[in-house]
mmCIF file of all heavy atoms in Angstrom:
data_model
loop_
_atom_site.group_PDB
_atom_site.id
_atom_site.type_symbol
_atom_site.label_atom_id
_atom_site.label_comp_id
_atom_site.label_asym_id
_atom_site.label_seq_id
_atom_site.Cartn_x
_atom_site.Cartn_y
_atom_site.Cartn_z
ATOM 1 N N ASP A 1 -145.188 -129.882 -14.197
ATOM 2 C CA ASP A 1 -145.269 -128.441 -13.987
ATOM 3 C C ASP A 1 -144.695 -127.599 -15.061
ATOM 4 O O ASP A 1 -145.207 -126.578 -15.458
ATOM 5 C CB ASP A 1 -144.709 -128.119 -12.583
ATOM 6 C CG ASP A 1 -144.898 -126.621 -12.234
ATOM 7 O OD1 ASP A 1 -144.696 -125.781 -13.084
ATOM 8 O OD2 ASP A 1 -145.381 -126.394 -11.058
ATOM 9 N N GLY A 2 -143.523 -127.977 -15.560
ATOM 10 C CA GLY A 2 -142.817 -127.188 -16.592
ATOM 11 C C GLY A 2 -141.804 -126.285 -15.994
ATOM 12 O O GLY A 2 -140.675 -126.213 -16.362
ATOM 13 N N ALA A 3 -142.125 -125.610 -14.846
ATOM 14 C CA ALA A 3 -141.136 -124.667 -14.182
ATOM 15 C C ALA A 3 -140.363 -125.499 -13.099
ATOM 16 O O ALA A 3 -139.167 -125.370 -13.041
ATOM 17 C CB ALA A 3 -141.967 -123.545 -13.493
ATOM 18 N N CYS A 4 -141.068 -126.303 -12.409
ATOM 19 C CA CYS A 4 -140.439 -126.977 -11.276
ATOM 20 C C CYS A 4 -141.359 -128.027 -10.674
ATOM 21 O O CYS A 4 -142.129 -127.738 -9.971
ATOM 22 C CB CYS A 4 -140.139 -125.969 -10.173
ATOM 23 S SG CYS A 4 -138.879 -126.494 -8.969
ATOM 24 N N GLY A 5 -141.079 -129.267 -11.062
ATOM 25 C CA GLY A 5 -141.751 -130.422 -10.420
ATOM 26 C C GLY A 5 -142.828 -131.066 -11.198
ATOM 27 O O GLY A 5 -143.178 -130.707 -12.339
ATOM 28 N N TYR A 6 -143.344 -132.182 -10.639
ATOM 29 C CA TYR A 6 -144.414 -132.938 -11.244
ATOM 30 C C TYR A 6 -145.150 -133.771 -10.182
ATOM 31 O O TYR A 6 -144.674 -133.926 -9.060
ATOM 32 C CB TYR A 6 -143.965 -133.857 -12.335
ATOM 33 C CG TYR A 6 -143.057 -134.937 -11.833
ATOM 34 C CD1 TYR A 6 -143.706 -136.278 -11.526
ATOM 35 C CD2 TYR A 6 -141.630 -134.855 -11.714
ATOM 36 C CE1 TYR A 6 -142.829 -137.273 -11.105
ATOM 37 C CE2 TYR A 6 -140.913 -135.949 -11.301
ATOM 38 C CZ TYR A 6 -141.564 -137.176 -10.999
ATOM 39 O OH TYR A 6 -140.734 -138.202 -10.556
ATOM 40 N N ILE A 7 -146.344 -134.285 -10.503
ATOM 41 C CA ILE A 7 -147.060 -135.214 -9.767
ATOM 42 C C ILE A 7 -147.436 -136.398 -10.647
ATOM 43 O O ILE A 7 -147.814 -136.154 -11.834
ATOM 44 C CB ILE A 7 -148.392 -134.572 -9.149
ATOM 45 C CG1 ILE A 7 -148.161 -133.443 -8.228
ATOM 46 C CG2 ILE A 7 -149.238 -135.715 -8.486
ATOM 47 C CD1 ILE A 7 -149.388 -132.655 -7.878
ATOM 48 N N TYR A 8 -147.160 -137.636 -10.179
ATOM 49 C CA TYR A 8 -147.382 -138.761 -11.107
ATOM 50 C C TYR A 8 -147.914 -139.950 -10.183
ATOM 51 O O TYR A 8 -147.138 -140.673 -9.512
ATOM 52 C CB TYR A 8 -146.039 -139.157 -11.674
ATOM 53 C CG TYR A 8 -146.055 -140.382 -12.639
ATOM 54 C CD1 TYR A 8 -147.163 -140.590 -13.431
ATOM 55 C CD2 TYR A 8 -144.935 -141.256 -12.700
ATOM 56 C CE1 TYR A 8 -147.116 -141.662 -14.349
ATOM 57 C CE2 TYR A 8 -144.947 -142.241 -13.579
ATOM 58 C CZ TYR A 8 -146.048 -142.479 -14.418
ATOM 59 O OH TYR A 8 -146.050 -143.548 -15.230
ATOM 60 N N PRO A 9 -149.212 -140.258 -10.269
ATOM 61 C CA PRO A 9 -149.788 -141.368 -9.561
ATOM 62 C C PRO A 9 -149.592 -142.634 -10.416
ATOM 63 O O PRO A 9 -149.758 -142.622 -11.634
ATOM 64 C CB PRO A 9 -151.305 -141.059 -9.391
ATOM 65 C CG PRO A 9 -151.603 -140.147 -10.586
ATOM 66 C CD PRO A 9 -150.248 -139.369 -10.868
ATOM 67 N N LEU A 10 -149.221 -143.699 -9.787
ATOM 68 C CA LEU A 10 -149.008 -144.914 -10.534
ATOM 69 C C LEU A 10 -149.213 -146.171 -9.717
ATOM 70 O O LEU A 10 -149.161 -146.129 -8.490
ATOM 71 C CB LEU A 10 -147.593 -144.996 -11.223
ATOM 72 C CG LEU A 10 -146.357 -145.149 -10.284
ATOM 73 C CD1 LEU A 10 -145.381 -145.996 -11.061
ATOM 74 C CD2 LEU A 10 -145.750 -143.802 -9.941
ATOM 75 N N SER A 11 -149.410 -147.342 -10.321
ATOM 76 C CA SER A 11 -149.488 -148.620 -9.753
ATOM 77 C C SER A 11 -150.629 -148.777 -8.781
ATOM 78 O O SER A 11 -150.420 -149.064 -7.598
ATOM 79 C CB SER A 11 -148.114 -148.948 -9.092
ATOM 80 O OG SER A 11 -148.000 -150.283 -8.813
ATOM 81 N N PRO A 12 -151.876 -148.444 -9.146
ATOM 82 C CA PRO A 12 -152.988 -148.507 -8.278
ATOM 83 C C PRO A 12 -153.386 -149.986 -7.900
ATOM 84 O O PRO A 12 -153.332 -150.931 -8.677
ATOM 85 C CB PRO A 12 -154.102 -147.827 -9.026
ATOM 86 C CG PRO A 12 -153.861 -148.162 -10.406
ATOM 87 C CD PRO A 12 -152.290 -148.176 -10.569
ATOM 88 N N THR A 13 -153.848 -150.160 -6.691
ATOM 89 C CA THR A 13 -154.535 -151.375 -6.174
ATOM 90 C C THR A 13 -155.798 -150.906 -5.510
ATOM 91 O O THR A 13 -155.850 -150.000 -4.652
ATOM 92 C CB THR A 13 -153.676 -152.031 -4.995
ATOM 93 O OG1 THR A 13 -152.360 -152.286 -5.603
ATOM 94 C CG2 THR A 13 -154.333 -153.248 -4.451
ATOM 95 N N THR A 14 -156.854 -151.425 -5.907
ATOM 96 C CA THR A 14 -158.182 -151.125 -5.458
ATOM 97 C C THR A 14 -158.358 -151.549 -4.018
ATOM 98 O O THR A 14 -158.021 -152.748 -3.651
ATOM 99 C CB THR A 14 -159.312 -151.720 -6.328
ATOM 100 O OG1 THR A 14 -159.085 -151.334 -7.622
ATOM 101 C CG2 THR A 14 -160.699 -151.414 -5.889
ATOM 102 N N ILE A 15 -158.766 -150.734 -3.079
ATOM 103 C CA ILE A 15 -159.060 -150.991 -1.720
ATOM 104 C C ILE A 15 -160.398 -150.545 -1.404
ATOM 105 O O ILE A 15 -160.628 -149.285 -1.314
ATOM 106 C CB ILE A 15 -158.059 -150.215 -0.774
ATOM 107 C CG1 ILE A 15 -156.552 -150.600 -1.116
ATOM 108 C CG2 ILE A 15 -158.312 -150.483 0.657
ATOM 109 C CD1 ILE A 15 -156.177 -152.060 -0.968
ATOM 110 N N GLY A 16 -161.394 -151.412 -1.162
ATOM 111 C CA GLY A 16 -162.757 -150.996 -0.931
ATOM 112 C C GLY A 16 -163.321 -150.187 -1.973
ATOM 113 O O GLY A 16 -163.343 -150.631 -3.175
ATOM 114 N N LEU A 17 -163.748 -148.893 -1.729
ATOM 115 C CA LEU A 17 -164.147 -148.010 -2.735
ATOM 116 C C LEU A 17 -163.078 -146.902 -3.047
ATOM 117 O O LEU A 17 -163.442 -145.847 -3.505
ATOM 118 C CB LEU A 17 -165.401 -147.371 -2.319
ATOM 119 C CG LEU A 17 -166.674 -148.289 -2.219
ATOM 120 C CD1 LEU A 17 -167.887 -147.550 -1.639
ATOM 121 C CD2 LEU A 17 -166.934 -148.958 -3.607
ATOM 122 N N GLY A 18 -161.841 -147.230 -2.719
ATOM 123 C CA GLY A 18 -160.671 -146.322 -2.857
ATOM 124 C C GLY A 18 -159.554 -147.137 -3.539
ATOM 125 O O GLY A 18 -159.706 -148.084 -4.236
ATOM 126 N N ALA A 19 -158.339 -146.530 -3.272
ATOM 127 C CA ALA A 19 -157.127 -147.160 -3.911
ATOM 128 C C ALA A 19 -155.981 -146.972 -2.972
ATOM 129 O O ALA A 19 -155.870 -145.998 -2.259
ATOM 130 C CB ALA A 19 -156.936 -146.645 -5.211
ATOM 131 N N PHE A 20 -154.912 -147.780 -3.216
ATOM 132 C CA PHE A 20 -153.529 -147.661 -2.783
ATOM 133 C C PHE A 20 -152.745 -147.444 -3.971
ATOM 134 O O PHE A 20 -153.039 -148.005 -4.997
ATOM 135 C CB PHE A 20 -153.127 -148.998 -2.075
ATOM 136 C CG PHE A 20 -151.686 -149.083 -1.908
ATOM 137 C CD1 PHE A 20 -150.962 -148.535 -0.896
ATOM 138 C CD2 PHE A 20 -150.949 -149.771 -2.835
ATOM 139 C CE1 PHE A 20 -149.551 -148.724 -0.761
ATOM 140 C CE2 PHE A 20 -149.543 -149.904 -2.818
ATOM 141 C CZ PHE A 20 -148.891 -149.400 -1.699
ATOM 142 N N TRP A 21 -151.720 -146.495 -3.937
ATOM 143 C CA TRP A 21 -150.869 -146.274 -5.100
ATOM 144 C C TRP A 21 -149.525 -145.667 -4.695
ATOM 145 O O TRP A 21 -149.444 -145.220 -3.574
ATOM 146 C CB TRP A 21 -151.630 -145.340 -6.116
ATOM 147 C CG TRP A 21 -151.778 -143.900 -5.725
ATOM 148 C CD1 TRP A 21 -150.984 -142.915 -6.071
ATOM 149 C CD2 TRP A 21 -152.877 -143.403 -4.883
ATOM 150 N NE1 TRP A 21 -151.464 -141.663 -5.508
ATOM 151 C CE2 TRP A 21 -152.612 -141.973 -4.869
ATOM 152 C CE3 TRP A 21 -153.951 -143.956 -4.240
ATOM 153 C CZ2 TRP A 21 -153.437 -141.119 -4.138
ATOM 154 C CZ3 TRP A 21 -154.795 -143.034 -3.495
ATOM 155 C CH2 TRP A 21 -154.518 -141.579 -3.435
ATOM 156 N N ILE A 22 -148.673 -145.528 -5.632
ATOM 157 C CA ILE A 22 -147.417 -144.820 -5.439
ATOM 158 C C ILE A 22 -147.733 -143.473 -5.839
ATOM 159 O O ILE A 22 -148.149 -143.175 -6.983
ATOM 160 C CB ILE A 22 -146.281 -145.361 -6.329
ATOM 161 C CG1 ILE A 22 -145.975 -146.866 -5.951
ATOM 162 C CG2 ILE A 22 -145.066 -144.467 -6.187
ATOM 163 C CD1 ILE A 22 -144.951 -147.499 -6.847
ATOM 164 N N ALA A 23 -147.532 -142.499 -4.940
ATOM 165 C CA ALA A 23 -147.717 -141.037 -5.215
ATOM 166 C C ALA A 23 -146.285 -140.538 -5.409
ATOM 167 O O ALA A 23 -145.553 -140.144 -4.510
ATOM 168 C CB ALA A 23 -148.355 -140.345 -3.986
ATOM 169 N N ALA A 24 -145.874 -140.543 -6.670
ATOM 170 C CA ALA A 24 -144.569 -140.038 -7.062
ATOM 171 C C ALA A 24 -144.645 -138.561 -7.478
ATOM 172 O O ALA A 24 -145.687 -138.123 -7.904
ATOM 173 C CB ALA A 24 -144.025 -140.804 -8.284
ATOM 174 N N GLY A 25 -143.543 -137.903 -7.216
ATOM 175 C CA GLY A 25 -143.584 -136.564 -7.676
ATOM 176 C C GLY A 25 -142.163 -135.826 -7.342
ATOM 177 O O GLY A 25 -141.373 -136.496 -6.773
ATOM 178 N N SER A 26 -142.193 -134.600 -7.677
ATOM 179 C CA SER A 26 -140.937 -133.879 -7.465
ATOM 180 C C SER A 26 -141.384 -132.462 -7.047
ATOM 181 O O SER A 26 -141.920 -131.671 -7.808
ATOM 182 C CB SER A 26 -140.060 -133.747 -8.707
ATOM 183 O OG SER A 26 -138.954 -132.949 -8.440
ATOM 184 N N PRO A 27 -141.154 -132.136 -5.732
ATOM 185 C CA PRO A 27 -141.325 -130.723 -5.403
ATOM 186 C C PRO A 27 -140.549 -129.719 -6.332
ATOM 187 O O PRO A 27 -141.072 -128.681 -6.572
ATOM 188 C CB PRO A 27 -140.889 -130.650 -4.036
ATOM 189 C CG PRO A 27 -140.931 -132.085 -3.413
ATOM 190 C CD PRO A 27 -140.540 -132.912 -4.697
ATOM 191 N N CYS A 28 -139.381 -130.072 -6.708
ATOM 192 C CA CYS A 28 -138.687 -129.197 -7.705
ATOM 193 C C CYS A 28 -137.392 -129.935 -8.205
ATOM 194 O O CYS A 28 -137.180 -129.968 -9.377
ATOM 195 C CB CYS A 28 -138.286 -127.837 -7.020
ATOM 196 S SG CYS A 28 -137.774 -126.754 -8.340
ATOM 197 N N ASP A 29 -136.612 -130.473 -7.328
ATOM 198 C CA ASP A 29 -135.276 -130.900 -7.800
ATOM 199 C C ASP A 29 -134.871 -132.419 -7.538
ATOM 200 O O ASP A 29 -133.917 -132.887 -7.995
ATOM 201 C CB ASP A 29 -134.175 -130.057 -7.139
ATOM 202 C CG ASP A 29 -134.220 -130.225 -5.682
ATOM 203 O OD1 ASP A 29 -135.182 -130.772 -5.037
ATOM 204 O OD2 ASP A 29 -133.328 -129.673 -4.988
ATOM 205 N N GLN A 30 -135.803 -133.175 -6.859
ATOM 206 C CA GLN A 30 -135.526 -134.507 -6.660
ATOM 207 C C GLN A 30 -136.816 -135.352 -6.577
ATOM 208 O O GLN A 30 -137.779 -135.021 -5.960
ATOM 209 C CB GLN A 30 -134.842 -134.710 -5.256
ATOM 210 C CG GLN A 30 -134.357 -136.057 -4.901
ATOM 211 C CD GLN A 30 -133.309 -136.564 -5.876
ATOM 212 O OE1 GLN A 30 -132.440 -135.815 -6.296
ATOM 213 N NE2 GLN A 30 -133.303 -137.847 -6.219
ATOM 214 N N THR A 31 -136.834 -136.543 -7.322
ATOM 215 C CA THR A 31 -137.956 -137.306 -7.260
ATOM 216 C C THR A 31 -138.246 -138.058 -5.945
ATOM 217 O O THR A 31 -137.292 -138.431 -5.294
ATOM 218 C CB THR A 31 -137.773 -138.462 -8.372
ATOM 219 O OG1 THR A 31 -137.821 -137.854 -9.712
ATOM 220 C CG2 THR A 31 -138.916 -139.460 -8.275
ATOM 221 N N ILE A 32 -139.446 -137.972 -5.553
ATOM 222 C CA ILE A 32 -139.826 -138.607 -4.211
ATOM 223 C C ILE A 32 -140.914 -139.636 -4.513
ATOM 224 O O ILE A 32 -141.844 -139.278 -5.309
ATOM 225 C CB ILE A 32 -140.323 -137.510 -3.277
ATOM 226 C CG1 ILE A 32 -139.289 -136.521 -2.928
ATOM 227 C CG2 ILE A 32 -140.950 -138.258 -1.978
ATOM 228 C CD1 ILE A 32 -139.776 -135.353 -2.150
ATOM 229 N N THR A 33 -140.932 -140.792 -3.893
ATOM 230 C CA THR A 33 -142.094 -141.691 -4.067
ATOM 231 C C THR A 33 -142.608 -141.985 -2.619
ATOM 232 O O THR A 33 -141.827 -142.484 -1.798
ATOM 233 C CB THR A 33 -141.678 -143.000 -4.838
ATOM 234 O OG1 THR A 33 -140.565 -143.619 -4.189
ATOM 235 C CG2 THR A 33 -141.305 -142.716 -6.213
ATOM 236 N N ASP A 34 -143.862 -141.806 -2.384
ATOM 237 C CA ASP A 34 -144.598 -142.113 -1.202
ATOM 238 C C ASP A 34 -145.656 -143.196 -1.646
ATOM 239 O O ASP A 34 -146.010 -143.321 -2.735
ATOM 240 C CB ASP A 34 -145.312 -140.921 -0.672
ATOM 241 C CG ASP A 34 -144.401 -139.838 -0.180
ATOM 242 O OD1 ASP A 34 -143.155 -140.176 0.147
ATOM 243 O OD2 ASP A 34 -144.802 -138.630 -0.050
ATOM 244 N N PHE A 35 -146.038 -143.888 -0.599
ATOM 245 C CA PHE A 35 -147.232 -144.825 -0.673
ATOM 246 C C PHE A 35 -148.460 -143.988 -0.293
ATOM 247 O O PHE A 35 -148.428 -143.241 0.741
ATOM 248 C CB PHE A 35 -147.115 -146.028 0.012
ATOM 249 C CG PHE A 35 -145.954 -146.868 -0.414
ATOM 250 C CD1 PHE A 35 -144.964 -147.283 0.448
ATOM 251 C CD2 PHE A 35 -145.848 -147.365 -1.654
ATOM 252 C CE1 PHE A 35 -143.882 -148.027 0.106
ATOM 253 C CE2 PHE A 35 -144.825 -148.147 -2.051
ATOM 254 C CZ PHE A 35 -143.829 -148.523 -1.230
ATOM 255 N N ALA A 36 -149.585 -144.077 -0.966
ATOM 256 C CA ALA A 36 -150.785 -143.379 -0.618
ATOM 257 C C ALA A 36 -151.938 -144.325 -0.590
ATOM 258 O O ALA A 36 -151.977 -145.255 -1.332
ATOM 259 C CB ALA A 36 -150.981 -142.233 -1.623
ATOM 260 N N LEU A 37 -152.831 -144.048 0.288
ATOM 261 C CA LEU A 37 -154.107 -144.839 0.427
ATOM 262 C C LEU A 37 -155.247 -143.873 0.720
ATOM 263 O O LEU A 37 -155.208 -143.119 1.623
ATOM 264 C CB LEU A 37 -153.955 -145.873 1.533
ATOM 265 C CG LEU A 37 -155.049 -146.923 1.581
ATOM 266 C CD1 LEU A 37 -154.432 -148.175 2.124
ATOM 267 C CD2 LEU A 37 -156.197 -146.565 2.366
ATOM 268 N N SER A 38 -156.236 -144.018 -0.052
ATOM 269 C CA SER A 38 -157.523 -143.187 0.158
ATOM 270 C C SER A 38 -158.700 -143.980 -0.062
ATOM 271 O O SER A 38 -158.900 -144.529 -1.117
ATOM 272 C CB SER A 38 -157.466 -141.928 -0.714
ATOM 273 O OG SER A 38 -158.575 -141.033 -0.538
#
């Protein structure tokens, strides 16, 4: 973002016609990592 935060998808695994991945990011002051599946 530059002002506050970021979004960083990483480590994809293909699932059907979608993927599982680590949805990393920072709303502003602390890194958070979630698991995502779509």
Side-chain angles (χ1 to χ4, degrees):
D1 184 314
C4 193
Y6 69 90
I7 297 172
Y8 180 38
L10 71 147
S11 201
T13 300
T14 305
I15 304 295
L17 294 175
F20 161 86
W21 71 96
I22 297 173
S26 173
C28 193
D29 60 352
Q30 185 67 36
T31 293
I32 298 168
T33 55
D34 292 339
F35 296 122
L37 192 149
S38 185

